[in-house]
């Protein structure tokens, strides 16, 4: 069952039992400027939260069960790497998945890349998270 691990300031998570999982996730993404979907005990999610808290952002974190993870909207996959003859490409891990202002940022690597490129803080300011 979907659970939250972050305290929300001035907002509450509401759940309509008749709302589909996909609709619920889309609604949560639209209602929270910074939201992370994760499995429980995900170390990458912990690192993402620490990075964001360090710069002054307190994201909403939602823990999903395995069957709920399939409902996450994901960005299009990156172009395939050059073929090296060492087998196929492994499937992408959809969690943790972070959304800023309704747009999927991706996982930890994408968040760190956004931060190192200097685009994270302006994006967080743009959505009112900073």
């Amino acid at each position: 069952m979907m659970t939250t691990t972050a305290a929300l300031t001035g907002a509450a998570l509401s759940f309509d039992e008749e709302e589909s999982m996909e609709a619920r996730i889309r609604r949560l993404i639209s209602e929270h400027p910074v939201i992370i979907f994760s499995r429980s005990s995900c170390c990458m999610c912990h690192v993402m939260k620490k990075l964001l808290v360090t710069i002054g952002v307190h994201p909403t974190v939602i823990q999903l069960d395995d069957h709920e993870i399939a409902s996450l909207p994901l960005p299009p996959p990156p172009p395939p790497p050059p073929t090296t003859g060492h087998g196929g490409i492994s499937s992408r891990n959809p969690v943790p998945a972070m959304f800023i202002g309704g747009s999927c940022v991706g996982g930890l690597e994408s968040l760190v890349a956004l931060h190192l490129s200097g685009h994270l803080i302006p994006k967080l300011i743009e959505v009112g998270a900073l």
Side-chain angles (χ1 to χ4, degrees):
M1 171 145 209
M2 183 185 293
T3 58
T4 181
T5 60
L8 301 176
T9 55
L13 290 175
S14 61
F15 297 108
D16 177 357
E17 293 298 323
E18 295 185 17
E19 185 177 36
S20 73
M21 184 55 58
E22 293 84 3
R24 185 177 299 168
I25 288 174
R26 283 192 306 273
R27 181 178 53 77
L28 289 168
I29 290 168
S30 70
E31 290 176 349
H32 301 280
V34 181
I35 188 165
I36 300 170
F37 293 95
S38 177
R39 285 187 172 94
S40 61
S41 72
C42 173
C43 62
M44 291 182 291
C45 178
H46 178 74
V47 173
M48 292 172 80
K49 287 189 325 189
K50 285 291 188 187
L51 171 60
L52 291 167
V53 168
T54 300
I55 59 178
V57 175
H58 298 281
T60 300
V61 178
I62 306 292
Q63 294 180 353
L64 301 176
D65 291 337
D66 287 339
H67 71 279
E68 296 168 328
I69 289 169
S71 300
L72 281 172
L74 296 175
T83 308
T84 60
H86 296 300
I89 301 168
S90 64
S91 62
R92 298 182 307 147
N93 185 0
V95 291
M98 179 176 165
F99 294 80
I100 299 177
S103 298
C104 185
V105 170
L108 177 59
E109 284 185 30
S110 300
L111 175 62
V112 170
L114 193 62
H115 185 50
L116 293 176
S117 70
H119 293 101
L120 177 60
I121 291 176
K123 190 172 188 90
L124 292 169
I125 290 170
E126 180 183 326
V127 302
L130 272 178

